[in-house]
């Protein structure tokens, strides 16, 4: 059987933001010697999704939430049977697809998050990097289990699917979480 690829989805409106939010994830996966492909969500085709057994939806810059106006391009998440990791804007997309609403709240910098139990290799109190203007209130979405967060949920997993999401940026700090997802999920 031919090994499938990890699909890394770029949601950045500006090409330069690729280097900050997508390229670091691409480098982590490449260092693991795993097959992968990077696609911008506007260029994504059904065959790209079908060829992937894992998908990482990367984040983007503070001022870029164009993806939220194009959430219909992510409805495939509801039927995808592989593993998904949504990072920041990627988590917001997951929340929107499953019925959540975006709320405004800016958080920038290093924060200490307490993980209630193991989440993609992270547990206990862990320092993470926040860079977001919006969040989804996952406390109202019963289809997701919450792993970390106070007022703003930081880490979730779909209760029936291998869909994970974090509002923080593990490509900055906590790269081991991306490695865990790529190798063990």
């Amino acid at each position: 059987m031919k090994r499938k690829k990890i699909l890394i989805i770029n949601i950045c409106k500006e090409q330069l933001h690729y280097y900050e939010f997508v390229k670091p994830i691409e480098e982590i996966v490449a260092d693991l010697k795993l097959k992968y492909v990077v696609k911008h969500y506007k260029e994504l085709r059904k065959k790209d999704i079908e060829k992937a057994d894992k998908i990482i939806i990367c984040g983007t810059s503070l001022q870029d939430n164009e993806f939220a106006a194009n959430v219909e391009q992510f409805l495939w998440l509801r039927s995808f049977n592989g593993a998904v990791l949504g990072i920041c804007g990627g988590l917001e997309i997951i929340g929107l697809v499953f019925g959540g609403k975006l709320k405004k709240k800016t958080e920038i910098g290093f924060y200490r998050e307490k993980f209630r139990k193991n989440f993609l290799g992270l547990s206990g109190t862990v320092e993470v990097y926040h860079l977001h203007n919006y969040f989804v209130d996952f406390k109202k979405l019963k289809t997701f289990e919450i792993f970390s967060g106070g007022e703003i949920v930081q880490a979730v997993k779909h209760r029936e699917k291998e869909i994970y999401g974090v509002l923080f940026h593990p490509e900055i700090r906590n790269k081991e979480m991306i490695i865990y997802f790529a190798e063990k999920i």
Side-chain angles (χ1 to χ4, degrees):
M1 183 173 128
K2 187 176 178 185
R3 185 171 178 159
K4 293 185 176 187
K5 297 177 190 165
I6 294 176
L7 172 60
I8 300 172
I9 299 177
N10 175 0
I11 65 169
C12 301
K13 179 180 177 183
E14 302 295 330
Q15 176 126 8
L16 278 176
H17 296 156
Y18 157 85
Y19 294 99
E20 184 175 358
F21 298 98
V22 181
K23 184 74 171 159
I25 293 167
E26 185 178 344
E27 289 171 351
I28 291 166
V29 173
D31 287 348
L32 295 172
K33 308 271 189 271
L34 298 173
K35 288 185 169 189
Y36 70 92
V37 62
V38 178
K39 290 278 188 166
H40 192 275
Y41 80 94
K42 289 185 176 180
E43 298 169 356
L44 199 57
R45 303 291 175 254
K46 184 177 179 182
K47 66 179 179 159
D48 299 317
I49 296 163
E50 290 170 349
K51 289 180 181 179
D53 59 351
K54 293 182 184 180
I55 295 175
I56 300 173
I57 307 172
C58 302
T60 188
S61 69
L62 282 172
Q63 300 304 317
D64 181 5
N65 66 343
E66 179 182 84
F67 61 84
N70 295 299
V71 74
E72 72 282 349
Q73 292 187 21
F74 296 93
L75 294 179
W76 53 264
L77 279 164
R78 293 178 184 160
S79 60
F80 183 68
N81 290 320
V84 176
L85 172 60
I87 298 172
C88 196
L91 173 62
E92 294 169 13
I93 288 166
I94 290 168
L96 291 170
V97 166
F98 286 94
K101 304 275 187 251
L102 280 185
K103 295 185 174 191
K104 180 87 167 134
K105 172 76 175 185
T106 301
E107 292 182 317
I108 302 171
F110 292 102
Y111 288 73
R112 297 186 72 68
E113 294 294 341
K114 182 170 176 47
F115 290 83
R116 296 177 179 100
K117 57 183 171 177
N118 185 305
F119 180 83
L120 299 176
L122 300 181
S123 61
T125 301
V126 178
E127 187 174 73
V128 300
Y129 185 71
H130 291 208
L131 182 68
H132 58 265
N133 276 329
Y134 298 93
F135 71 98
V136 172
D137 187 359
F138 277 91
K139 294 173 186 172
K140 294 182 178 180
L141 297 178
K142 301 302 179 199
T143 54
F144 287 87
E145 181 178 0
I146 297 170
F147 283 78
S148 178
E151 174 192 350
I152 296 177
V153 172
Q154 296 293 325
V156 300
K157 182 194 175 292
H158 193 280
R159 292 187 188 276
E160 297 173 7
K161 297 175 154 288
E162 293 294 320
I163 298 178
Y164 302 83
V166 293
L167 194 55
F168 57 88
H169 287 268
E171 73 276 17
I172 303 297
R173 179 159 301 211
N174 319 109
K175 293 177 184 177
E176 69 275 13
M177 193 194 86
I178 297 169
I179 294 168
Y180 188 99
F181 174 80
E183 290 187 328
K184 297 183 180 177
I185 297 297

